[in-house]
């Protein structure tokens, strides 16, 4: 057996099975789990298999290039909005959501730039956890309270408006000299997206994956590839 992937729905007995597999399989292994305490515990049990979290493996491969961006200063939402060129967005509300004003004009709702910037950053986090190849409107949440029941015209319009800033945010995060707040999930995603000579590689003869149910799609994609 040259490659092995152990997955299961529950923790019970699975770590023990991993230990038994390590004694049986040839070569050097890689034990990994999203849960850091499991990995720390594993380092005292496994003899030949390396023990790292998914973030630890990704940091070893590509994360060091972004280490200087980790733990950077906090950037407030209004500053993020300014960096991404996001301004307040005015939505014309349907009567079913809010009646027209006394002047007969349709009622509106102003979405603040700082709030919209928060939606973009949340979408980046969702993209980083996914197996998707590029950020899209799919990663932006639908906005409640601006459409009639069963409709999403306004919400989709706002999401489309934020697609440009979302792509700009990702471009900043993949730049070693970018300015947006940088999280560990970003270099995991960068690793997963690698192609050709930069494709993700785990230097092991077999991989033992514990706590499969807690593993994000981004890392499952790396394993399946």
């Amino acid at each position: 057996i040259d490659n092995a992937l152990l997955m299961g729905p529950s923790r019970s007995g699975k770590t023990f099975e991993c230990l038994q597999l390590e004694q049986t399989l040839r070569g050097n292994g890689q034990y990994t789990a999203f849960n850091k305490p499991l990995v720390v515990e594993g380092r005292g049990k496994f003899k030949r298999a390396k023990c790292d979290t998914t973030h630890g493996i990704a940091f070893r491969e590509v994360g060091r290039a972004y280490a200087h961006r980790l733990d950077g200063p906090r950037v407030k939402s209004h500053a993020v909005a300014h960096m991404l060129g996001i301004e307040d967005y005015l939505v014309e509300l349907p009567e079913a959501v809010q009646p027209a004003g006394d002047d007969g004009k349709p009622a509106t709702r102003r979405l603040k730039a700082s709030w919209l910037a928060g939606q973009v950053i949340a979408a980046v986090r969702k993209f980083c956890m996914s197996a998707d190849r590029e950020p899209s409107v799919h990663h932006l949440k639908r906005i409640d309270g601006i459409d009639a029941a069963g409709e999403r015209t306004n919400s989709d319009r706002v999401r489309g408006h934020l697609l440009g800033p979302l792509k700009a945010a990702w471009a900043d995060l993949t730049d070693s000299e970018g300015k947006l707040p940088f999280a560990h999930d970003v270099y995991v995603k960068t690793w997963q997206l690698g192609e050709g000579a930069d494709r993700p590689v785990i230097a092991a003869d077999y991989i033992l994956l514990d706590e499969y149910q807690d593993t994000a799609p981004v890392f499952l994609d790396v394993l399946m590839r």
Side-chain angles (χ1 to χ4, degrees):
I1 300 174
D2 295 317
N3 297 281
L5 177 64
L6 179 63
M7 300 183 290
S10 66
R11 181 176 177 180
S12 178
K14 213 155 65 277
T15 303
F16 174 78
E17 291 180 48
C18 287
L19 289 166
Q20 295 298 304
L21 279 169
E22 185 202 30
Q23 296 176 25
T24 304
L25 297 171
R26 298 190 303 272
N28 297 313
Q30 174 71 63
Y31 169 84
T32 185
F34 179 80
N35 190 316
K36 187 174 181 179
L38 265 182
V39 171
V40 172
E41 180 183 344
R43 287 173 181 160
K45 295 180 177 180
F46 289 92
K47 305 302 181 184
R48 289 182 289 111
K50 291 182 179 179
C51 298
D52 299 281
T53 61
T54 53
H55 286 84
I57 297 173
F59 184 82
R60 186 170 66 221
E61 298 300 324
V62 302
R64 289 188 177 90
Y66 300 94
H68 63 287
R69 292 195 62 179
L70 292 167
D71 303 319
R74 184 177 180 182
V75 181
K76 293 185 177 180
S77 294
H78 68 84
V80 172
H82 178 74
M83 293 164 67
L84 296 176
I86 299 174
E87 298 180 347
D88 289 0
Y89 191 86
L90 201 63
V91 178
E92 186 175 300
L93 299 175
E95 288 188 12
V97 175
Q98 185 175 334
D102 294 337
D103 55 4
K105 295 181 179 180
T108 59
R109 176 178 169 185
R110 182 178 296 276
L111 303 177
K112 293 290 187 179
S114 57
W115 184 84
L116 292 172
Q119 298 300 297
V120 170
I121 296 303
V124 168
R125 288 196 295 267
K126 185 176 180 180
F127 169 61
C128 285
M129 298 295 285
S130 75
D132 300 331
R133 304 300 296 175
E134 60 182 25
S136 70
V137 292
H138 167 72
H139 302 108
L140 288 153
K141 292 181 180 179
R142 291 200 181 105
I143 301 170
D144 295 329
I146 60 175
D147 286 301
E151 298 291 330
R152 59 186 190 191
T153 302
N154 277 334
S155 182
D156 286 348
R157 187 176 291 123
V158 175
R159 293 162 78 201
H161 176 71
L162 293 178
L163 181 58
L166 173 57
K167 291 185 175 182
W170 181 244
D172 175 281
L173 291 168
T174 54
D175 183 348
S176 62
E177 301 305 320
K179 304 300 180 184
L180 288 175
F182 191 93
H184 291 271
D185 289 341
V186 175
Y187 63 73
V188 176
K189 186 65 179 178
T190 302
W191 181 50
Q192 178 246 345
L193 291 175
E195 296 285 356
D198 295 324
R199 72 189 188 284
V201 174
I202 298 176
D205 298 302
Y206 58 88
I207 300 165
L208 304 172
L209 174 62
D210 213 343
E211 294 293 284
Y212 167 76
Q213 72 278 3
D214 293 332
T215 305
V218 61
F219 190 64
L220 291 179
D221 183 69
V222 169
L223 294 177
M224 296 309 167
R225 289 170 63 190

